[in-house]
Amino acid sequence: MKTKILLLMILLLLITGCTLRKQSEPTPPPQNGDRLPEPGLKTRETVFYLPDQDWRVLVPVRIHIPWEEGIARATVGYLTEGNLPAQAMDTGLIPLLPAGTEVLGLAIRDGLARIDLSSSFLDYNPEDERMVINGLVYTLTEFPTITDVEILVEGEKAEFPGMTTTGVFGREFGVNLEVAEGLDDFSQTDRITLYFLLPAGENVFYVPVTRVIPEPEDRVFTVIEELLKGPAFSNILMTSLSAGVTLESTRVQGGKVTVHFSGDLTSGGGGQLAADRIRHQLALTLTEITGITEVEVLVDGQQPTFPPGVQFPETFTRPKLWNLIDSTQ
């Protein structure tokens, strides 16, 4: 309970901007660039933010849904209990919106999506309110024409007691909010986006986490340091990075960042899957920083060492097919 109260206090500060400076990075930006379907295709790859079974984190997943006019409205329909695609249910994720929720209207103008939902929308568990609102907002703001969302219920402005603001919502809330360990001075703080792993059967999902930290002098170095600390949600999320690795330095040249580690990046084990998870976790986290598009990793001044046959490129960019759970074309 104390943790929840603290998080709500941080949210209030983040939204009002009374003591926290305005964030300099999106939290996080749209994941797919909202690509329109190529000519002739009948489906569209769409990013949904869905909760895990215990409502602990929101997970962005890519699902191909039938293309239709009014695709944003259709996307919200898929978030509803009873309509979520089976592929998502099979992974252990659950619907975001209560059964019976209907989209009565959705108008988009100048970046604002004004969505009118039926009264069944309010049947969610009050303890999950922040995740419901964030999941809906983040899903809709994946569309390039939407930057903010106003939620109506039966044509009337809705009030959300668990939120620190009403009316228009954007990504300023962050997602899966954490507060850096030991942070007690909120006069000079910032927010960063880190990616951790959520086990899903034999696979994993990459989950963005917004962490409130002291304002950093070196943003890139600090982001990696925080990533190495692992997730605060350690009871559900994990990291692919070994506890035996230490960050020595970073160098940014143009859009490329070179990360110098020492120690054992993989704890002496792991095959291609482990190498891919390290690469994806680093790439997703570092390319959240404005201007960074390419990553190079060195360990003790050399390319990382993996078992024979394991590929780990000298440089790499943000992965394209992460969290894809439906490959139907």
Side-chain angles (χ1 to χ4, degrees):
M1 180 61 69
K2 291 182 179 180
T3 300
K4 288 186 177 181
I5 294 174
L6 178 59
L7 291 180
L8 288 175
M9 291 174 61
I10 297 300
L11 278 174
L12 178 60
L13 292 172
L14 288 169
I15 299 307
T16 61
C18 292
T19 56
L20 291 180
R21 75 178 183 86
K22 185 178 179 181
Q23 76 177 98
S24 57
E25 305 290 344
T27 315
Q31 304 299 323
N32 65 351
D34 191 58
R35 294 186 297 274
L36 294 177
E38 297 178 5
L41 293 183
K42 296 182 180 180
T43 62
R44 176 189 182 279
E45 183 186 296
T46 303
V47 177
F48 295 79
Y49 283 77
L50 300 173
D52 71 292
Q53 288 185 342
D54 296 317
W55 287 87
R56 295 171 293 183
V57 292
L58 284 169
V59 184
V61 292
R62 303 166 127 75
I63 306 174
H64 282 87
I65 60 174
W67 170 256
E68 60 180 275
E69 295 296 329
I71 191 66
R73 178 171 182 159
T75 296
V76 175
Y78 284 111
L79 292 172
T80 303
E81 183 177 346
N83 296 333
L84 187 65
Q87 295 90 339
M89 298 290 289
D90 291 343
T91 65
L93 301 177
I94 60 175
L96 178 74
L97 305 180
T101 300
E102 297 181 5
V103 181
L104 304 180
L106 177 60
I108 303 171
R109 183 176 182 180
D110 297 330
L112 175 66
R114 202 163 186 252
I115 186 168
D116 187 8
L117 301 171
S118 64
S119 59
S120 295
F121 165 70
L122 298 176
D123 291 340
Y124 55 76
N125 186 332
E127 294 184 357
D128 301 327
E129 183 172 85
R130 181 155 41 92
M131 288 186 67
V132 170
I133 301 301
N134 279 354
L136 178 60
V137 170
Y138 270 75
T139 298
L140 283 172
T141 51
E142 285 292 332
F143 292 89
T145 55
I146 300 174
T147 56
D148 296 285
V149 178
E150 182 180 14
I151 302 173
L152 307 178
V153 177
E154 302 288 346
E156 301 292 334
K157 289 187 177 181
E159 295 186 2
F160 304 103
M163 305 297 288
T164 55
T165 186
T166 59
V168 177
F169 301 95
R171 292 196 169 201
E172 65 272 13
F173 282 100
V175 63
N176 301 321
L177 186 67
E178 292 182 356
V179 179
E181 185 177 355
L183 179 62
D184 54 10
D185 179 7
F186 302 123
S187 61
Q188 293 293 323
T189 58
D190 201 354
R191 283 172 289 166
I192 59 175
T193 301
L194 310 172
Y195 281 79
F196 296 106
L197 283 62
L198 172 68
E202 297 180 356
N203 208 341
V204 299
F205 289 125
Y206 297 92
V207 178
V209 169
T210 300
R211 183 172 292 175
V212 182
I213 62 170
E215 187 173 351
E217 295 183 3
D218 185 331
R219 189 176 188 83
V220 174
F221 191 92
T222 300
V223 163
I224 301 174
E225 277 194 322
E226 291 294 328
L227 188 67
L228 291 177
K229 291 178 182 179
F233 299 102
S234 56
N235 61 328
I236 179 173
L237 300 178
M238 65 180 192
T239 181
S240 63
L241 301 170
S242 167
V245 69
T246 301
L247 176 62
E248 297 295 334
S249 65
T250 61
R251 182 178 72 252
V252 178
Q253 293 179 309
K256 175 183 173 182
V257 57
T258 300
V259 184
H260 295 262
F261 290 118
S262 63
D264 190 347
L265 188 63
T266 63
S267 296
Q272 187 63 57
L273 186 60
D276 289 344
R277 289 176 177 176
I278 292 171
R279 176 165 54 90
H280 292 341
Q281 190 178 359
L282 287 170
L284 287 168
T285 297
L286 288 169
T287 56
E288 293 284 349
I289 301 173
T290 299
I292 292 181
T293 59
E294 186 178 11
V295 181
E296 178 185 27
V297 173
L298 299 176
V299 179
D300 297 323
Q302 305 293 325
Q303 295 295 321
T305 300
F306 289 92
V310 174
Q311 297 181 356
F312 192 88
E314 293 185 5
T315 63
F316 48 90
T317 58
R318 192 176 183 90
K320 296 180 179 180
L321 299 179
W322 61 284
N323 288 7
L324 178 66
I325 62 175
D326 177 12
S327 59
T328 302
Q329 295 289 336

